[in-house]
Amino acid sequence: MRALTWHGKHDVRMDTVPDPEIMNPRDAIIEVTSTAICGSDLHLFDGVIPGMMAGDILGHEFMGRVVDAGPGSTLKKGQRVVVPFVISCGKCFFCERAQFSACDNSNPAEKQDLSEPLYGHAMTGLFGYSHLTGGYPGGQAEYVRVPFSDVGPIVVPDGLDDDQVLFLSDILPTGWMAAKNADIEPGDTVAVWGCGPVGLFAIQSALLQGAGKVIAIDEYPGRLALAKGLGAEIIDFKRTHVREALMEMSGGLGPDAVIDAVGMESHGWAPDAIMDNIKQQVGIGADSAHALRQAIIAVRKGGRVSIPGVYGGYLDKFPLGALMEKGLQIRTGQTHVHKYLGELLHRIGEGEIDTTFLISHRLPLEDAVRGYENFRFNQNEWTKVVLKPGTEVRA
Ligand SMILES: NC(=O)c1ccc[n+]([C@@H]2O[C@H](COP(=O)([O-])OP(=O)(O)OC[C@H]3O[C@@H](n4cnc5c(N)ncnc54)[C@H](O)[C@@H]3O)[C@@H](O)[C@H]2O)c1
Ligand SMILES: [Zn+2]
Ligand SMILES: [Zn+2]
């Protein structure tokens, strides 16, 4: 089959690779009809996540049709499913508590030594996301093997097209959980750093969850315009002093809650950002966290900090004093996708949530490399790329 594979920093390629096969009774094989490129994939593309090996198949946002199912799967051939990017067994201590992204059974034992020394505990399995998270082949491919297929995939009605439901695989629940983690009370002012797909869904979710005012921060006019279209007020961090603007826009208190939807590749020209970026480039620091520091400094006393943005290492210059002295709460994590699927699918079906507004480009899978390059280097115009296996590349 054809698949998008990782070969090094800024080097991804379309390759012909072996088709996946059922390995365990609970597996299913999905023929991918739509798959997307995520900001998390950019961290792999930029080479800032360890544990990648040449030839790894990328992609963790995908959906398709069931073409094979093991005897322990509950799926039937021909069903149309969206698959969560987090691989969860459904039965362990964590899955029973709906902490699906902490599942203890999906990262194979021989891979656990990679993340356990780094984090104290082994990470959960994720599709297409390095050998730290199990080394599973991802879904930017024609076919993919889905372990624990009786737990993760959600069957979607034929009345909803791929673009409406594809983002249930990751970014929609991620934006939703980011807002949940901000503990929004009616009328709250919520500031969101980053107007990529995750930030945009966090903005939409914060408003649905009762925020009175959402303030969106980014530097790209195209992305800020999408945020404004959702009803957010906007700050261009290249032109505006972010903390001063936020104080003014929140009646001098600071936002009640802040959401960091930027993650480990934050842009900026402040000394901390420059230091982080240099350390990241030379491989002695994983995280560039300027936006997170700014969010912690900006949030009001007693406020809430939600971090959907991905981080990987041991950050320095962390404003621990502000966190403690202001009495803040922090919540973060890879998304417990399975927990939110039913509710979000229902809201999509009812027309309460539109997921299609942020798709800027639909490309054939064969054009995936161009998709990566533009999603990385032309962020203003390329907000979200959906790849369609089986469609023709236009010259
Ligand atoms: N927690 C999860 O389960 C989960 C799931 C999906 C994605 N993520 C993470 O969420 C983050 C965002 O994902 P995305 O797909 O939206 O990525 P993206 O790269 O498309 O968007 C990031 C945005 O942040 C903006 N930005 C950069 N520096 C900034 C700064 N200093 N202040 C304000 N904005 C700034 C960029 O201009 C860009 O628009 C990534 O770290 C990704 O890995 C986490
Ligand atoms: Zn993703
Ligand atoms: Zn589990």
Side-chain angles (χ1 to χ4, degrees), residues 97-220:
R97 285 160 179 76
Q99 294 177 328
F100 294 99
S101 72
C103 175
D104 239 350
N105 284 330
S106 59
N107 196 346
E110 70 274 14
K111 305 273 184 192
Q112 298 207 351
D113 289 351
L114 288 170
S115 52
E116 199 175 314
L118 201 58
Y119 301 137
H121 297 88
M123 286 181 74
T124 297
L126 308 176
F127 287 101
Y129 215 74
S130 98
H131 293 261
L132 288 181
T133 65
Y136 288 93
Q140 286 161 6
E142 289 180 296
Y143 298 91
V144 60
R145 177 176 78 93
V146 177
F148 304 128
S149 66
D150 53 322
V151 178
I154 186 166
V155 178
V156 290
D158 281 335
L160 296 173
D161 63 29
D162 279 23
D163 289 353
Q164 286 176 285
V165 290
L166 171 62
F167 301 139
L168 286 169
S169 56
D170 176 352
I171 52 172
L172 182 63
T174 294
W176 188 258
M177 185 167 114
K180 286 273 176 196
N181 279 349
D183 279 343
I184 297 167
E185 289 173 9
D188 269 355
T189 296
V190 180
V192 180
W193 275 254
C195 298
V198 170
L200 290 167
F201 280 147
I203 292 165
Q204 194 183 40
S205 301
L207 290 166
L208 277 168
Q209 291 173 30
K213 185 190 279 196
V214 175
I215 305 167
I217 304 152
D218 205 299
E219 64 177 307
Y220 295 117

Side-chain angles (χ1 to χ4, degrees), residues 36-41 60-61 85 129 169-171 174 198 384:
I37 308 176
C38 179
S40 299
D41 292 324
H60 59 269
E61 300 183 357
F85 78 98
Y129 215 74
S169 56
D170 176 352
I171 52 172
T174 294
V198 170
K384 188 74 182 176

Side-chain angles (χ1 to χ4, degrees), residues 128 152 328:
L328 307 182

Side-chain angles (χ1 to χ4, degrees), residues 88-92 95 103-105:
S88 313
C89 77
K91 294 182 176 166
C92 70
C95 287
C103 175
D104 239 350
N105 284 330

Side-chain angles (χ1 to χ4, degrees), residues 2 98 105 108 125 131 176 200 206 224 231 294 296 298 335 351 374 384:
R2 300 289 286 161
N105 284 330
H131 293 261
W176 188 258
L200 290 167
L224 285 167
Q294 199 171 54
I296 291 173
T335 302
N374 282 286
K384 188 74 182 176

Side-chain angles (χ1 to χ4, degrees), residues 39-40 43 170 196-198 218 220 223 261-262 266-267 308 310 333-335:
S40 299
H43 303 322
D170 176 352
V198 170
D218 205 299
Y220 295 117
R223 291 180 171 212
V262 176
S266 185
H267 311 162
V310 162
Q334 297 282 359
T335 302

